[in-house]
């Protein structure tokens, strides 16, 4: 029998339904795994007592015939979701000791569906980063290693690095992440798992600590496409507490996984093949195209002409919103306060200087600058216009094609210390994910192969707004064709 | 109070524009469900959103939107079917999120018009530039501790309408009339209680002066004035300050000032280095506000009769002069009171009673018409008692005073005090005879041609009847008797 921690969500669900094991057994297996892999630093807060209590309650419910869609399944929650009574940090010093008296809609829905929560996963501070190196609680180790180079420590990607590492290393069956410019998809690609950023508005942002409100979106991080569909169903849906949440029905995502993609038109954007793109990435992309073609789809080249402006646009809009969203961390009502007998302004300055890390400070400064009088038109306003053009690119493309296929990232996971000198190099990690975020579209990263160094690489499927079903269906076909069964070397052993 | 200031170097024209912050009447705040009652214990009406807890999101309160649209329609203004909420970013302790949600480039209400009446009988129209929705801030309490400030967030997030006028006013009287008129309209609409003392209505006044036919000069903004009287004082002080500065060769810098009511002066509030860059941008937590025609038309259909309409109706159907009609309609309750009394009675006599006796009494006791000790029904009954001759107008005044004190109905007072008018000719004649008997010398004088002392005789008889004699009967009878025609009856 497969080890409990190696099961997919769907198989664990079957096992629980059949009575092969209990939620308590399943949960304990994961708690042991977390303990054995604590050196990955995937969690900021582990909550074993809560998990066991939830698992017991779940087993009781099951005996009483109450079985939710996530009943008894142990998952992890990114520490950007406010969890009632439980330390919530966004991986920032400035939220020291913050225990929200409320539960985010997404985590509340997962719990209501029966999920067991193992703890809060590590991340880049306020979700700002692509390496998980900006966390106040220390970096996360990618459980994958380069062939023959176990001494080189790789980043798991970011910002949902803790969630990605935890899922890949078998510390949880699945995890919740958030994606602003690639924060689910890029770490999923780096860690060899499935990561879905749903359409903007699909999942409620209520109780989600804001980075950039017009871009932030929660999504599932899992080891299979079916798991992604299962978990998305439990997380999504309209929420009257979030004015930007969409009033669209939640379809049967799992039911969409038919494998039937005959005649489906797959766009391949020429702008995603810049000079100098790693040959292994190009090769994998071509493989993906041929897999879909073999399954009956019709690949065709398309153009998304404003792609080259997406990264610059993103790094104006996201910091602008962040500079305003993060103004509330002032030391007055919660979290860190640094103040002697100082004035109000001194308290603000001391608290924010001590509480925010370097990357957060950089983005607050950039955001403040681009919104300032005299610069607003040249930066923020122009970026908004370009964002509209990027949205139009996709609308135009989706008149012809049903989905778009691209690589998720330009490289596999890099080593800690690499790409750290220049923030721009780091920002380039998001080059293939950011345009999709700006357009608010669903994007799915599917592990599709290994680089020559033995590191996972993902392919990204992009769909029309609220067509996650199509995206997941195509993802399922890729998953089957790629047959990605490799496990990271630091995963908990069978 | 005039349009012009006569300086040492010539005439200066005053230019005034007003920004009025009016707190919307609603059960809940603009973006949260917290209550909005005035006077709650500090920090007892605060939702997590109001305190800017992480992950909390705004959800617009439809009632507040309705109130803003109703107000816009009441100001004869254009309603924008598409408007946008923007963030105004600045740090302050009573602004928990570090930004205020407001409307910047696309407000919910566009240009409108307000008519004001002036004491010289003329009217003017003041242009409204816009009305937008925004959140109120919390309150900083600086007087509770020697070195620390306390923060009360009860008011944080309460819905405000900021109503911005064009710089169309040219005297403190016009500004005062504008504030009163706006307050009157808001109260009629039920969108703001207009209570300036409690801060539900606050004025920011922009003042500048200029030479005749010159372009606008630099203005100063005087923030947060909380009474009409202070608006007048602040404008007078500020305009004269500008003239003094210009005439002594100085220049005015654009700045924000406050009005110190104890000294009657305006003083600088922030230095120039502290000028804020608010970094406005569309709030990404909210979607643009889109209103459909039906929503607006439903509100328009259900608008109450507004002061201007009511005033012309009062002039038309009651025959009141513009001035009296204007005063009676300023306040909705007063107008209703007047109409209740005037129903089936002489409208001018009623207007006279309401505007002189009643207003005077209310003013002396510092009461509003809503808690007048004399109800409209009682005042009507009093006027009827005069009309049917039960009491004289003279006696009515003292009955009115008793009504003020006791709240009793006038007929009860008349009965209890025996104030019923004496109309029985025989009783009056007896009293006249008695006076004439006691003052035979005066009778002789009268008959000798000094008819001027008729009034004195009437007074004596009134005194003798405790003022109850019917004045007309008394006058007819006493003239006859003094003329000597009925001496036989002595």
């Amino acid at each position: 029998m497969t080890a409990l921690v190696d099961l997919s969500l769907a198989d664990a669900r079957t096992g629980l339904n059949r009575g092969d094991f209990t939620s308590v057994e399943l949960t304990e297996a994961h708690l042991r795994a977390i303990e054995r892999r604590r050196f990955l630093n995937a969690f900021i807060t582990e909550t074993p007592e809560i998990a066991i209590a939830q698992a017991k309650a779940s087993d009781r419910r099951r005996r009483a015939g109450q079985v939710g869609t996530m009943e008894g399944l142990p998952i992890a929650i990114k520490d950007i979701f406010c969890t009632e009574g439980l330390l919530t940090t966004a991986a920032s010093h400035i939220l020291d000791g913050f225990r929200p008296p409320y539960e985010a809609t997404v985590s509340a829905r997962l719990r209501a569906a029966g999920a067991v929560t193992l703890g809060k996963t590590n991340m880049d501070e306020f979700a700002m980063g692509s390496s998980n190196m900006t966390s106040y609680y220390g970096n996360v180790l990618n459980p994958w290693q380069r062939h023959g180079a176990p001494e080189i420590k790789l980043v798991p990607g970011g910002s949902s690095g803790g969630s990605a590492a935890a899922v890949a290393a078998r510390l949880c069956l699945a995890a919740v992440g958030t994606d602003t410019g690639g924060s689910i998809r890029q770490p999923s690609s780096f860690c060899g798992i499935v990561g879905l950023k749903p359409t903007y508005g699909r999942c409620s942002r209520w109780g989600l600590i804001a980075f950039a409100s017009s871009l932030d979106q929660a999504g599932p991080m899992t080891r299979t496409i079916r798991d992604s569909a299962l978990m998305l169903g439990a997380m999504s849906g309209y929420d009257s507490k979030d004015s930007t949440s969409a009033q669209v029905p939640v379809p049967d995502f799992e039911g969409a996984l038919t494998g039937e993609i005959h005649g489906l038109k797959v766009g391949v954007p020429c702008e995603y093949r810049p000079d100098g793109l790693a040959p292994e990435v190009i090769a994998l992309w071509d493989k993906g195209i041929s897999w879909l073609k073999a399954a009956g789809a019709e690949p065709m080249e398309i153009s998304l002409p404003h792609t080259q402006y997406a990264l610059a646009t993103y790094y104006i809009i996201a910091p602008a919103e962040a500079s305003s969203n993060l103004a509330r961390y002032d030391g007055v009502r919660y979290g860190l306060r640094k103040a002697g007998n100082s004035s109000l302004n001194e308290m603000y300055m001391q608290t924010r200087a001590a509480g925010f890390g370097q990357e957060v400070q950089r983005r607050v400064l950039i955001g403040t600058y681009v919104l300032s009088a005299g610069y607003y038109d040249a930066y923020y306003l122009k970026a908004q216009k370009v964002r509209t053009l990027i949205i139009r690119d996709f609308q135009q493309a989706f008149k012809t094609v049903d989905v778009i296929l691209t690589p998720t990232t330009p490289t596999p996971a890099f080593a800690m210390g690499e790409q750290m000198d220049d923030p721009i190099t780091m920002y380039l990690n998001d080059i293939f994910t950011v345009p999709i975020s700006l357009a608010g579209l669903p994007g799915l990263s599917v592990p599709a192969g290994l680089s020559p160094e033995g590191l996972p690489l993902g392919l990204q499927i992009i769909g029309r707004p609220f067509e996650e079903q199509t995206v997941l269906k195509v993802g399922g076909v890729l998953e089957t064709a790629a047959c990605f069964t490799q496990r990271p070397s630091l995963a908990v052993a069978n | 109070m005039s349009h012009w200031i006569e300086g040492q170097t010539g005439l200066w024209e005053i230019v005034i524009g007003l920004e009025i912050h009016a707190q919307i009447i609603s059960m809940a705040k603009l973006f949260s469900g917290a209550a909005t009652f005035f006077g709650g214990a500090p920090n007892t009406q605060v939702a997590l959103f109001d305190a800017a807890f992480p992950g909390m999101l705004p959800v617009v309160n439809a009632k507040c939107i309705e109130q803003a649209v109703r107000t816009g329609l009441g100001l004869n203004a254009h309603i924008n079917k598409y408007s946008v909420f923007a963030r105004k970013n600045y740090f302050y302790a009573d602004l928990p999120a570090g930004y205020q949600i407001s409307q910047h480039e696309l407000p919910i209400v566009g240009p409108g018009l307000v008519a004001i009446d002036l004491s010289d009988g003329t009217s003017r129209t003041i242009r409204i530039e816009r009305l937008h929705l925004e959140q109120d801030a919390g309150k900083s309490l600086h007087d509770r501790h020697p070195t620390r400030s306390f923060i009360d967030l009860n008011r944080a997030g309460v819905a405000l309408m900021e109503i911005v006028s064009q710089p169309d006013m040219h005297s403190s009287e016009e500004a005062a009339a504008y504030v009163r008129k706006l307050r009157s309209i808001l109260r009629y609409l039920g969108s703001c209680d207009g209570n300036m003392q409690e801060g539900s209505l606050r004025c920011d006044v922009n003042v500048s002066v200029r030479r005749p036919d010159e372009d606008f000069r630099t203005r100063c903004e005087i923030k947060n004035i909380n009474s009409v009287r202070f608006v007048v004082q602040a404008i007078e002080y500020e305009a004269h300050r500008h003239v003094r500065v210009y005439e002594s060769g100085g220049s005015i810098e654009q700045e924000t000032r406050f009005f110190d009511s104890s000294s009657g002066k305006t003083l600088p509030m922030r230095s120039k280095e502290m000028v804020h860059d608010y970094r406005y941008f569309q709030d990404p937590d909210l979607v643009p506000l889109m209103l459909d025609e039906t929503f607006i038309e439903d509100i328009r259909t259900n608008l109450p009769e507004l002061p201007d309409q009511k005033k012309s109706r009062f002039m038309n159907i009651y025959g009141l002069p513009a001035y009296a009609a204007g005063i009676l309609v300023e306040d909705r309750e007063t107008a209703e009171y007047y109409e209740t009394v005037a129903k089936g009675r002489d409208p001018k006599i009623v207007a006279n009673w309401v505007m002189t006796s009643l207003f005077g009494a209310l003013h002396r006791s510092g009461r509003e018409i809503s808690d007048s000790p004399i109800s409209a029904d009682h005042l009507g009954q009093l006027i009827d008692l005069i009309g049917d001759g039960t009491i004289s107008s003279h006696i009515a005044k003292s009955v009115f005073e008793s009504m003020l004190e006791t709240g009793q109905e006038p007929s009860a007072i008349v009965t209890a005090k025996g104030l019923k008018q004496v109309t029985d000719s025989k009783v009056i004649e007896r009293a006249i005879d008695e006076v004439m008997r006691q003052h035979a010398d005066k009778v002789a004088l009268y008959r000798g041609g000094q008819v001027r002392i008729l009034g004195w005789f009437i007074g004596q008889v009134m005194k003798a009847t405790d003022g109850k004699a019917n004045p007309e009967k008394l006058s007819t009878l006493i003239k006859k008797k003094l003329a000597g025609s009925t001496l036989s009856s002595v």
Side-chain angles (χ1 to χ4, degrees):
Chain A
M1 179 187 141
T2 314
L4 291 180
V5 295
D6 259 334
L7 294 170
S8 66
L9 274 179
D11 289 343
R13 175 180 60 182
T14 308
L16 286 167
N17 285 346
R18 279 202 308 244
D20 294 349
F21 44 83
T22 63
S23 175
V24 169
E25 288 166 333
L26 189 62
T27 301
E28 281 172 342
H30 284 95
L31 291 173
R32 279 194 300 275
I34 290 172
E35 219 174 291
R36 283 161 60 195
R37 288 294 178 270
R38 203 165 271 149
F39 63 85
L40 295 176
N41 200 27
F43 284 81
I44 290 175
T45 306
E46 298 170 13
T47 56
E49 294 86 0
I50 293 172
I52 293 293
Q54 287 174 342
K56 283 179 179 167
S58 170
D59 286 335
R60 274 198 302 275
R61 282 196 298 272
R62 186 179 292 279
R63 283 194 297 274
Q66 296 167 9
V67 182
T69 58
M70 295 283 291
E71 196 59 61
L73 301 171
I75 60 168
I77 310 263
K78 187 178 181 180
D79 204 17
I80 199 165
F81 290 92
C82 289
T83 42
E84 190 172 349
L86 197 63
L87 182 70
T88 299
T89 69
S92 182
H93 187 27
I94 209 155
L95 275 167
D96 271 10
F98 175 58
R99 289 170 195 275
Y102 47 91
E103 181 83 22
T105 299
V106 161
S107 54
R109 283 189 173 158
L110 286 165
R111 285 188 186 178
V116 169
T117 52
L118 299 164
K120 308 288 293 286
T121 53
N122 206 340
M123 54 183 280
D124 280 298
E125 185 181 2
F126 281 106
M128 297 178 189
S130 309
S131 63
N132 216 116
M133 299 287 283
T134 71
S135 169
Y136 176 70
Y137 294 89
N139 49 276
V140 173
L141 186 62
N142 190 327
W144 290 83
Q145 294 172 323
R146 286 180 187 152
H147 283 323
E151 74 286 357
I152 296 175
K153 293 180 171 174
L154 301 177
V155 304
S159 67
S160 309
S163 291
V167 173
R170 275 63 178 169
L171 311 188
C172 52
L173 291 178
V176 189
T178 61
D179 190 312
T180 306
S183 282
I184 286 176
R185 291 160 288 165
Q186 183 253 19
S188 293
S189 178
F190 278 17
C191 291
I193 64 166
V194 173
L196 172 61
K197 182 200 91 76
T199 312
Y200 182 79
R202 177 65 91 179
C203 295
S204 169
R205 293 187 298 112
W206 194 85
L208 166 63
I209 294 179
F211 159 19
S213 311
S214 76
L215 297 157
D216 295 342
Q217 186 60 205
M221 299 174 79
T222 58
R223 290 194 291 264
T224 71
I225 294 289
R226 180 166 299 278
D227 289 1
S228 189
L230 164 61
M231 194 163 160
L232 179 63
M235 291 168 66
S236 54
Y238 173 67
D239 179 6
S240 60
K241 292 187 286 187
D242 174 3
S243 309
T244 64
S245 118
Q247 300 206 41
V248 294
V250 178
D252 175 11
F253 294 113
E254 250 188 294
L257 306 179
T258 58
E260 172 50 56
I261 60 164
H262 269 280
L264 197 91
K265 295 188 173 60
V266 180
V268 180
C270 53
E271 290 82 4
Y272 283 57
R273 205 178 285 256
D275 290 342
L277 183 62
E280 69 253 37
V281 173
I282 295 174
L284 186 73
W285 190 9
D286 289 341
K287 231 189 233 178
I289 296 165
S290 60
W291 288 333
L292 294 180
K293 195 172 180 181
E298 296 172 26
M300 55 183 67
E301 186 160 297
I302 57 163
S303 174
L304 299 167
H306 296 92
T307 301
Q308 58 171 318
Y309 305 112
L311 203 63
T313 301
Y314 175 83
Y315 277 98
I316 290 169
I317 290 173
E321 294 182 14
S323 70
S324 177
N325 282 334
L326 270 57
R328 67 189 58 204
Y329 305 104
D330 55 11
V332 175
R333 297 166 309 287
Y334 43 74
L336 185 73
R337 177 186 292 184
K338 289 274 180 192
N341 282 321
S342 56
S343 70
L344 180 67
N345 280 336
E346 281 166 8
M347 182 178 85
Y348 288 157
M349 288 190 278
Q350 287 172 22
T351 301
R352 290 166 67 81
F356 289 143
Q358 206 181 17
E359 184 61 27
V360 171
Q361 291 191 17
R362 181 182 357 259
R363 297 199 195 187
V364 168
L365 286 173
I366 292 171
T368 305
Y369 181 83
V370 299
L371 288 173
S372 296
Y375 300 98
Y376 177 90
D377 287 358
Y379 291 100
Y380 186 75
L381 194 63
K382 181 155 281 179
Q384 290 288 25
K385 288 177 181 168
V386 177
R387 184 176 188 176
T388 304
L389 294 175
I390 289 167
I391 293 169
R392 278 194 206 146
D393 279 359
F394 282 106
Q395 285 169 341
Q396 201 60 34
F398 281 124
K399 284 179 185 165
T400 324
V401 300
D402 299 299
V403 292
I404 295 169
L405 183 73
T406 73
T408 308
T409 54
T411 65
F414 48 88
M416 292 178 190
E418 284 174 12
Q419 305 197 6
M420 301 289 163
D421 304 336
D422 178 6
I424 304 291
T425 316
M426 184 68 81
Y427 296 167
L428 284 171
N429 264 288
D430 302 328
I431 193 159
F432 298 146
T433 49
V434 149
I436 292 82
S437 296
L438 288 169
L441 302 171
L444 173 71
S445 179
V446 187
L450 292 181
S451 72
E453 303 161 300
L455 296 180
L457 285 168
L459 289 176
Q460 177 179 232
I461 302 152
I462 305 155
R464 297 190 186 98
F466 301 105
E467 287 194 7
E468 283 86 353
Q469 288 166 291
T470 312
V471 169
L472 285 163
K473 181 168 71 176
V474 176
V477 172
L478 273 187
E479 181 182 53
T480 307
C483 198
F484 185 89
T485 53
Q486 295 88 338
R487 310 168 87 255
S489 45
L490 296 178
V492 176
N494 278 337
Chain B
M1 300 286 269
S2 82
H3 197 126
W4 303 96
I5 293 176
E6 190 156 354
Q8 290 166 354
T9 58
L11 286 180
W12 297 88
E13 184 185 38
I14 311 174
V15 180
I16 305 157
L18 268 76
E19 289 167 27
I20 290 186
H21 290 88
Q23 221 173 64
I24 288 178
I25 295 176
S26 63
M27 297 299 287
K29 294 181 179 180
L30 181 52
F31 297 112
S32 83
T36 56
F37 308 110
F38 178 80
N43 296 311
T44 54
Q45 295 169 183
V46 187
L48 290 162
F49 171 76
D50 305 323
F53 269 60
M56 296 297 95
L57 296 171
V59 177
V60 74
N61 178 350
K63 177 73 183 174
C64 298
I65 303 301
E66 192 190 314
Q67 291 283 42
V69 170
R70 180 174 290 119
T71 306
L73 294 172
L75 299 176
N76 310 297
H78 178 76
I79 308 298
N80 291 323
K81 288 185 189 159
Y82 181 91
S83 68
V84 163
F85 289 104
R87 292 186 185 177
K88 179 179 179 178
N89 295 282
Y90 64 96
F91 284 96
Y92 199 64
D94 58 24
L95 186 74
Y99 57 83
Q100 175 194 35
I101 305 177
S102 179
Q103 295 190 303
H104 185 50
E105 284 176 348
L106 297 166
I108 187 164
V109 176
L113 296 170
V114 171
I116 57 169
D117 294 331
L118 301 170
S119 58
D120 63 4
T122 61
S123 292
R124 287 203 57 217
T125 301
I126 307 300
R127 290 171 303 159
I128 302 286
E129 183 189 315
R130 60 186 275 166
L131 175 155
H132 69 251
L133 282 163
E134 62 183 32
Q135 297 173 296
D136 209 340
K139 273 184 191 159
S140 295
L141 311 171
H142 301 297
D143 54 358
R144 308 289 169 99
H145 188 277
T147 58
R148 289 172 191 272
S149 293
F150 286 63
I151 303 296
D152 177 8
L153 295 180
N154 282 356
R155 205 179 63 181
V158 169
L160 293 180
M161 297 178 283
E162 180 171 330
I163 304 167
V164 183
S165 83
Q166 296 282 359
D168 281 356
M169 286 154 276
H170 298 288
S171 70
S172 55
E173 190 206 348
E174 289 182 0
Y178 171 78
V179 175
R180 281 201 204 96
K181 184 59 177 287
L182 204 60
R183 186 171 58 182
S184 167
I185 294 170
L186 295 171
R187 283 177 169 166
Y188 266 73
L189 294 165
S191 61
C192 172
D193 67 22
N195 190 326
M196 295 186 82
Q197 271 177 340
E198 289 178 4
S200 335
L201 195 79
R202 311 193 284 272
C203 296
D204 297 347
V205 183
N206 285 285
V207 179
S208 65
V209 299
R210 64 175 174 185
R211 294 291 193 186
D213 303 321
E214 204 182 42
D215 274 347
F216 292 135
R217 294 201 180 198
T218 308
R219 65 189 156 85
C220 289
E221 185 179 18
I222 309 149
K223 283 259 183 209
N224 259 327
I225 309 181
N226 65 358
S227 85
V228 177
R229 193 159 57 92
F230 293 158
V231 166
V232 171
Q233 287 178 18
I235 291 170
E236 291 295 324
Y237 178 86
E238 187 64 13
H240 283 90
R241 186 181 75 85
H242 285 215
V243 170
R244 274 199 310 279
V245 169
Y246 287 133
E247 293 199 331
S248 60
S251 64
I252 293 288
E253 286 186 33
Q254 186 165 341
E255 63 181 355
T256 305
R257 301 172 72 85
F258 71 96
F259 178 69
D260 176 33
S261 56
S262 57
S263 67
K265 293 178 177 177
T266 69
L267 297 164
M269 207 152 102
R270 329 186 165 105
S271 66
K272 228 182 161 191
E273 306 86 75
M274 291 294 286
V275 167
H276 286 300
D277 179 354
Y278 290 119
R279 292 172 281 122
Y280 281 101
F281 73 107
Q282 184 172 337
D283 191 329
D285 284 335
L286 290 161
V287 291
L289 191 59
M290 287 190 269
L291 308 176
D292 61 37
E293 195 64 41
T294 337
F295 177 79
I296 299 170
E297 286 314 308
D298 278 355
I299 297 172
R300 195 194 300 275
T301 311
N302 292 309
L303 280 185
E305 185 185 36
L306 290 168
D308 288 341
Q309 297 162 290
K310 206 182 273 290
K311 183 183 160 194
S312 48
R313 184 166 62 81
F314 277 23
M315 291 166 70
N316 288 334
I317 72 164
Y318 298 125
L320 297 179
Y323 175 75
I327 288 177
L328 287 171
V329 304
E330 182 170 328
D331 181 72
R332 191 174 178 170
E333 280 86 29
T334 307
E336 276 169 15
Y337 188 104
Y338 169 77
E339 289 211 273
T340 309
V341 185
K343 197 172 180 190
R345 302 192 176 94
D346 183 322
K348 286 181 185 163
I349 289 176
V350 172
N352 197 37
W353 273 98
V354 170
M355 288 172 63
T356 53
S357 307
L358 185 68
F359 282 3
L362 292 175
H363 184 73
R364 281 195 301 279
S365 60
R367 289 183 196 239
E368 298 291 322
I369 193 129
S370 50
D371 50 29
S372 164
I374 300 178
S375 70
D377 280 347
H378 286 181
L379 183 60
Q381 288 168 21
L382 180 67
I383 294 169
D384 291 344
L385 290 176
I386 306 164
D388 66 13
T390 309
I391 55 172
S392 65
S393 313
H394 180 71
I395 290 288
K397 295 229 160 52
S398 73
V399 175
F400 184 86
E401 292 303 320
S402 301
M403 289 164 75
L404 271 181
E405 281 164 28
T406 63
Q408 282 184 304
E409 59 175 25
S411 56
I413 295 169
V414 168
T415 310
K417 294 197 171 180
L419 296 174
K420 202 166 167 9
Q421 185 165 249
V422 177
T423 48
D424 184 337
S425 303
K426 287 193 178 115
V427 179
I428 297 172
E429 280 178 17
R430 270 202 297 276
I432 296 171
D433 293 345
E434 180 58 24
V435 169
M436 287 173 69
R437 196 181 54 77
Q438 285 175 12
H439 303 284
D441 50 337
K442 295 249 172 35
V443 175
L445 279 175
Y446 181 90
R447 288 183 177 156
Q450 291 217 32
V451 292
R452 284 184 295 118
I453 61 172
L454 174 66
W456 181 87
F457 277 107
I458 291 175
Q460 290 302 309
V461 179
M462 272 294 182
K463 209 168 158 187
T465 58
D466 293 330
K468 290 183 287 186
N470 178 299
E472 281 156 36
K473 266 199 179 144
L474 168 59
S475 167
T476 316
L477 289 171
I478 203 165
K479 274 184 204 157
K480 267 192 209 162
K481 282 191 183 269
L482 283 170
S485 58
T486 53
L487 266 178
S488 57
S489 74
V490 174

